[in-house]
Amino acid sequence: MTFPELFRLPATVDLATAAKAFNMHVNTAYQHIRRGTFPCAVIRPGGRYLVPTKALLAALQIDEVPIYLEDVDRGAENASRSE
């Protein structure tokens, strides 16, 4: 996955998406979960595996979502229009 794709992820992702981020096949991801060796936290609400995006990014050693000046400028422009 590219950095922009990673930064647009929701709060949790399915196992297939997390596996893609780690460049592994989803079947390999299931094997790692069974062995307890998946590279980040995995939760299982309702029988399906979900991976918290924050844990995924931390495992990929991506600590923070970057802030770009152009995004700040656009936000300021939008805020000034709504007043």
Side-chain angles (χ1 to χ4, degrees), residues 6-13 40 51-59 62:
L6 287 167
F7 295 137
R8 285 191 296 266
L9 292 174
T12 59
V13 296
C40 68
V51 176
T53 300
K54 187 172 183 172
L56 174 64
L57 294 175
I62 302 170

Side-chain angles (χ1 to χ4, degrees), residues 9-67:
L9 292 174
T12 59
V13 296
D14 62 12
L15 189 59
T17 301
K20 182 178 177 182
F22 288 117
N23 197 31
M24 69 173 72
H25 192 276
V26 69
N27 290 341
T28 304
Y30 281 110
Q31 291 173 357
H32 280 291
I33 288 172
R34 281 193 293 276
R35 293 183 199 137
T37 59
F38 196 73
C40 68
V42 177
I43 56 177
R44 194 169 185 195
R48 63 182 229 173
Y49 292 105
L50 293 176
V51 176
T53 300
K54 187 172 183 172
L56 174 64
L57 294 175
L60 292 169
Q61 298 181 348
I62 302 170
D63 296 331
E64 297 179 18
V65 175
I67 298 174

